[in-house]
Amino acid sequence: MKSQALKGHLDLLLLAILAEGPAHGYAVIEALGVRSDGEFDLPEGTVYPALHRLEKAGLLGSEWSVVGGRRRRTYAISTQGRAALTEQASAWDRFSSAVARVIGDHSANGEPSWA
Amino acid sequence: MKSQALKGHLDLLLLAILAEGPAHGYAVIEALGVRSDGEFDLPEGTVYPALHRLEKAGLLGSEWSVVGGRRRRTYAISTQGRAALTEQASAWDRFSSAVARVIGDHSANGEPSWA
DNA sequence: ATCTACACCTAGAAATACTAGGTGTCAACC
DNA sequence: GGTTGACACCTAGTATTTCTAGGTGTAGAT
């Protein structure tokens, strides 16, 4: 817990989207927007470098293609990526319920600890 | 949403702890550990600068004292800080439920979008 | 005397996410 | 024929956050 207890969660989101099937970067951004009901409208400058990072880490593979005259780089999750997804999803569960415990429970208003 | 959609959540945690009553830095770290059931065991180098930042931003006030021969800096949340807490708590709710929507729902496995 | 817990601090490194540009294709519209 | 907007990719540099790795000093117990 001492190590990066408050890490970012973008990798988890990207892996989750790609766990449903291969997609290219632009489609990943749109899927995140749709699946989050508009909460996530991530700039390309955030997502593309992250995809590159995940590919370099072996969690994704990619392939170029041309569709309708436009080139696309389609990413697919790897076995390692699925393992990372499982791990990060459970880390998210722990993290988010810990946050809930901290911010909820505003009832225990007895003596302040500093007396 | 386009702007810092994935911000860190430390400020929220600190404000939530201090909303229950004033406390000094070391006590805040311990309270976070206890309230999160050990999930958050944050290094001092993470927490102290964050408290300074929040004070500079006007969300906290602080006062020095000496207890048992040891000097302490006790922080208290300000009115602005309470407003920020309310705002950040609801941002957290939106954020965490959006994450849940993205990583849950692994059933819709129809045609991949890339055809 | 030394060690641990308490209690504070900072500088610099590492990582993350964003801004702000850039390239090029295609379809629609004027 | 020219512009505009959606599609689709990219990177360099910046801002911010968080962590590492030290440092100082008091008090109490061994």
Side-chain angles (χ1 to χ4, degrees):
Chain A
M1 271 136 270
K2 201 68 156 196
S3 296
Q4 51 240 47
L6 299 164
K7 238 186 34 214
H9 311 288
L10 178 58
D11 293 3
L12 168 62
L13 295 173
L14 298 177
L15 291 172
I17 292 293
L18 289 170
E20 284 184 29
H24 61 287
Y26 203 87
V28 168
I29 291 173
E30 288 188 322
L32 273 170
V34 170
R35 293 263 299 267
S36 69
D37 284 324
E39 181 68 17
F40 300 133
D41 181 14
L42 305 182
E44 301 175 1
T46 294
V47 174
Y48 288 125
L51 290 171
H52 299 163
R53 181 164 44 80
L54 292 175
E55 180 172 24
K56 207 172 155 197
L59 308 186
L60 303 178
S62 76
E63 233 176 85
W64 285 97
S65 61
V66 176
V67 177
R70 293 178 185 105
R71 61 178 197 145
R72 284 184 176 178
R73 188 159 163 186
T74 298
Y75 291 90
I77 194 167
S78 69
T79 306
Q80 248 191 89
R82 289 203 185 268
L85 171 56
T86 301
E87 154 60 27
Q88 289 187 28
S90 91
W92 164 259
D93 281 344
R94 285 194 307 277
F95 177 79
S96 65
S97 62
V99 171
R101 283 195 297 275
V102 170
I103 71 179
D105 181 11
H106 275 233
S107 48
N109 245 328
E111 273 73 80
S113 54
W114 50 292
Chain B
M1 271 138 271
K2 199 70 154 196
S3 296
Q4 52 240 49
L6 298 164
K7 237 186 33 213
H9 312 287
L10 179 57
D11 294 3
L12 168 61
L13 296 174
L14 298 178
L15 292 171
I17 292 292
L18 290 169
E20 284 184 30
H24 60 287
Y26 202 86
V28 167
I29 291 173
E30 289 188 324
L32 274 171
V34 171
R35 294 263 299 268
S36 70
D37 283 325
E39 181 68 18
F40 300 134
D41 181 15
L42 304 181
E44 302 176 359
T46 294
V47 174
Y48 288 124
L51 290 171
H52 300 164
R53 181 164 42 82
L54 291 175
E55 180 172 23
K56 207 173 156 194
L59 308 186
L60 303 178
S62 76
E63 233 177 83
W64 284 98
S65 61
V66 175
V67 177
R70 292 177 185 106
R71 63 182 196 141
R72 283 183 179 178
R73 188 159 164 187
T74 297
Y75 291 90
I77 194 167
S78 69
T79 306
Q80 247 191 88
R82 289 202 187 269
L85 171 57
T86 302
E87 154 60 26
Q88 289 187 29
S90 89
W92 164 259
D93 280 344
R94 285 193 307 277
F95 177 79
S96 64
S97 62
V99 171
R101 283 194 297 278
V102 170
I103 73 179
D105 181 13
H106 275 231
S107 49
N109 245 326
E111 272 75 83
S113 55
W114 48 293

